Amino acid sequence: MLHQPSALKEGVHFDGQADIGARLERLPITREVFWARNIVGAATFFDGYTVIAIAYAMPVLVREWGLSPQQTGMILSMGYLGQLVGAVFFGWLAERLGRLKVLLFTILLFVSMDIACLFAAGAGTMILFRFVQGIGTGGEVPVASAYINEYIGSKGRGRFFLLYEVMFLLGLVGAGLIGYLMVPVYGWKVMFAVGLVPAILMMPLRWFMHESPRWLASKGRYAEADKIVTRLENSVRAAGRELPEPVPVGINANARRESNWRELFQGIYRKRTLTIWAMWFTSYMVANSTITWLPTLYRQTFNLPLETSLAYGFMTSVGGVIAAIICALLIDTVGRKRWYTCALILAPIPLVVLAFLGATSAEQVLVCAGLAYAIVQTVTFSLYLYSAEIYPTRLRAIGTGVGSAWLRLGSSAGPIVVGWLMAHFGLQSVFAAFAGILLFGALITAVFAVETKGRMLEELSP
């Protein structure tokens, strides 16, 4: 039965939506929520795996299909273009149909395209399949981010969520390991065969998990939301723990508005939207350009053996994962704004050192660029957390989806900038430019970002 708060303020209403948020806020991490995060995390692992799998299949496909450089580029880029479309479209759809339904569909979509890729017979079909697959992978993470954030309270939200988000990074690393170990033995199709594993996740995702209570309450479906929250409360009490009385936050009348993307550019959300876009673009432009470009740099510029080039690239990826885990454990203590500002100021330092030294050896690049990448990675992987926190339930999925579309734009623009700078100004200029881009992101963050640490979602975003 819904709690009935007694306090009322002029212009602010206490109702079922406020009650649901307050009851979730006081809950510890229950077993059901813990396993929901792990199940979605497993799907997100394979989302990350799917994004990068084509990179390890391409060396074989280029020879087997006789691909031209243009065809190779199209196959690689179509996935990113699809991700941009998927992030915006499924973010919008999740506000209308619910988080769980859309999440299930995105997983089904990218798994089905994994099957299709196994039967691709040439560049044309692979380009099509990778584009559609990108739509699914691009939609999964922002919707999953909104879903998980809406189940947990402010205390420990950063750590709980970011330990889930690490799964995406592990998916990238896992693809590298499987590509290195299995493609030479079993061929390119093994990369897509392994990607079918998420199909097994569909059953527990469908039958074990429940819709976001916050989303249900925002749609006026209080009885359904109450049933889910009551189940969570009962599991806590069954474990012998007492729950304090919920303390509802005032729900402004705006909270009852239907989702409208135009609100992203109105009121307090205009500044938040433009700020998060700048953070997505600058951090991902540097991080993704670095991680995708370094193996080629080691091979082509420093003439390292292929195995050494791949090993150096893998070491950089692992360093990023370690830094991300450290961030997940500390961000609730340090705070989002302070962490992001400091990271975006510190990361340019090794890049400036590298530009000053001239980047004359692969070892210089490995140490300095790898350190910068690890620091920036703590920003990139946690922006899904921050994006979900700065928007209300009615805008959370679409705001996160549109924001993450800017990472695709940054990731696409980065290689173009790298190629142009190297051709005209040399290798050092690339690292100097990356440092300048990060410092611009740091300035935007320091001036305009809002702190979300320890604050209820309803309090942050009325």
Side-chain angles (χ1 to χ4, degrees):
M1 182 176 180
L2 289 175
H3 295 74
Q4 300 295 331
S6 58
L8 292 172
K9 296 181 181 179
E10 185 177 352
V12 176
H13 307 271
F14 289 111
D15 60 5
Q17 190 171 348
D19 176 79
I20 292 298
R23 291 164 65 191
L24 287 169
E25 175 66 22
R26 79 202 205 286
L27 289 177
I29 303 302
T30 65
R31 184 188 306 176
E32 184 173 336
V33 173
F34 175 79
W35 283 107
R37 180 193 67 173
N38 292 346
I39 292 171
V40 176
T44 299
F45 174 93
F46 283 101
D47 190 327
Y49 173 93
T50 301
V51 166
I52 203 67
I54 189 66
Y56 297 97
M58 285 307 300
V60 179
L61 286 177
V62 168
R63 293 191 176 185
E64 187 173 315
W65 290 351
L67 299 176
S68 68
Q70 292 81 6
Q71 289 173 317
T72 302
M74 286 291 289
I75 292 173
L76 292 172
S77 64
M78 279 300 104
Y80 286 107
L81 182 59
Q83 289 169 37
L84 191 154
V85 174
V88 175
F89 173 71
F90 285 118
W92 169 82
L93 195 63
E95 305 294 8
R96 284 153 177 77
L97 300 184
R99 311 327 192 195
L100 194 55
K101 288 181 181 178
V102 174
L103 185 59
L104 286 165
F105 185 78
T106 60
I107 297 171
L108 178 64
L109 184 60
F110 76 71
V111 169
S112 64
M113 286 301 101
D114 247 7
I115 298 173
C117 287
L118 287 171
F119 297 97
T125 51
M126 184 63 84
I127 288 170
L128 174 62
F129 296 155
R130 284 294 294 174
F131 174 76
V132 178
Q133 187 175 54
I135 295 176
T137 57
E140 190 268 340
V141 175
V143 175
S145 300
Y147 178 79
I148 294 174
N149 262 283
E150 289 170 358
Y151 257 101
I152 51 181
S154 57
K155 186 178 181 181
R157 182 171 60 226
R159 175 183 297 187
F160 182 82
F161 176 83
L162 291 184
L163 288 176
Y164 143 77
E165 190 66 21
V166 166
M167 296 301 293
F168 186 89
L169 303 181
L170 292 176
L172 301 179
V173 174
L177 279 176
I178 291 173
Y180 180 77
L181 296 174
M182 301 186 72
V183 168
V185 179
Y186 299 105
W188 64 269
K189 290 188 177 183
V190 71
M191 294 303 299
F192 298 101
V194 172
L196 299 180
V197 174
I200 302 172
L201 300 172
M202 299 296 286
M203 291 181 61
L205 206 62
R206 173 65 182 85
W207 300 111
F208 174 78
M209 296 171 61
H210 306 283
E211 184 54 83
S212 160
R214 279 186 163 103
W215 180 82
L216 290 169
S218 75
K219 296 300 180 182
R221 295 162 61 176
Y222 302 126
E224 295 173 68
D226 175 67
K227 183 178 179 181
I228 295 170
V229 177
T230 298
R231 183 187 301 111
L232 297 176
E233 291 170 333
N234 289 340
S235 69
V236 174
R237 295 189 179 103
R241 300 182 62 174
E242 293 294 325
L243 287 174
E245 284 297 310
V247 182
V249 171
I251 299 294
N252 192 281
N254 286 334
R256 295 173 182 76
R257 294 167 58 177
E258 286 295 314
S259 176
N260 186 334
W261 65 268
R262 294 179 181 84
E263 197 180 350
L264 295 174
F265 307 99
Q266 297 171 357
I268 65 172
Y269 300 115
R270 181 190 298 112
K271 183 174 73 173
R272 295 184 183 187
T273 294
L274 297 177
T275 300
I276 199 69
W277 284 8
M279 294 170 68
W280 279 109
F281 185 85
T282 56
S283 61
Y284 266 95
M285 184 177 184
V286 174
N288 278 6
S289 297
T290 299
I291 197 64
T292 56
W293 172 52
L294 285 182
T296 301
L297 177 69
Y298 295 137
R299 180 69 169 156
Q300 300 297 328
T301 302
F302 297 110
N303 298 314
L304 296 183
L306 176 61
E307 294 79 5
T308 305
S309 300
L310 293 176
Y312 279 12
F314 179 73
M315 290 167 63
T316 303
S317 296
V318 171
V321 173
I322 294 172
I325 294 173
I326 294 172
C327 173
L329 297 176
L330 296 179
I331 198 166
D332 279 328
T333 302
V334 176
R336 282 52 152 170
K337 180 175 181 176
R338 181 181 299 173
W339 186 287
Y340 297 150
T341 303
C342 291
L344 293 172
I345 290 174
L346 290 174
I349 295 175
L351 295 175
V352 171
V353 170
L354 195 55
F356 178 78
L357 294 176
T360 55
S361 72
E363 289 71 27
Q364 284 182 7
V365 174
L366 174 64
V367 173
C368 294
L371 178 60
Y373 171 78
I375 296 172
V376 176
Q377 187 72 296
T378 67
V379 179
T380 56
F381 100 110
S382 61
L383 284 180
Y384 280 108
L385 164 71
Y386 188 62
S387 296
E389 290 178 327
I390 63 174
Y391 291 112
T393 302
R394 66 186 178 276
L395 296 174
R396 187 163 293 121
I398 182 63
T400 304
V402 173
S404 67
W406 282 86
L407 85 83
R408 324 296 174 186
L409 295 173
S411 299
S412 301
I416 298 173
V417 172
V418 168
W420 186 84
L421 286 173
M422 286 194 66
H424 290 82
F425 303 103
L427 179 58
Q428 302 98 308
S429 67
V430 175
F431 299 112
F434 280 177
I437 291 167
L438 293 177
L439 287 174
F440 175 75
L443 177 64
I444 296 296
T445 304
V447 175
F448 298 111
V450 297
E451 183 53 72
T452 60
K453 180 185 75 170
R455 300 173 65 187
M456 285 182 62
L457 296 177
E458 289 77 10
E459 174 194 359
L460 278 165
S461 306

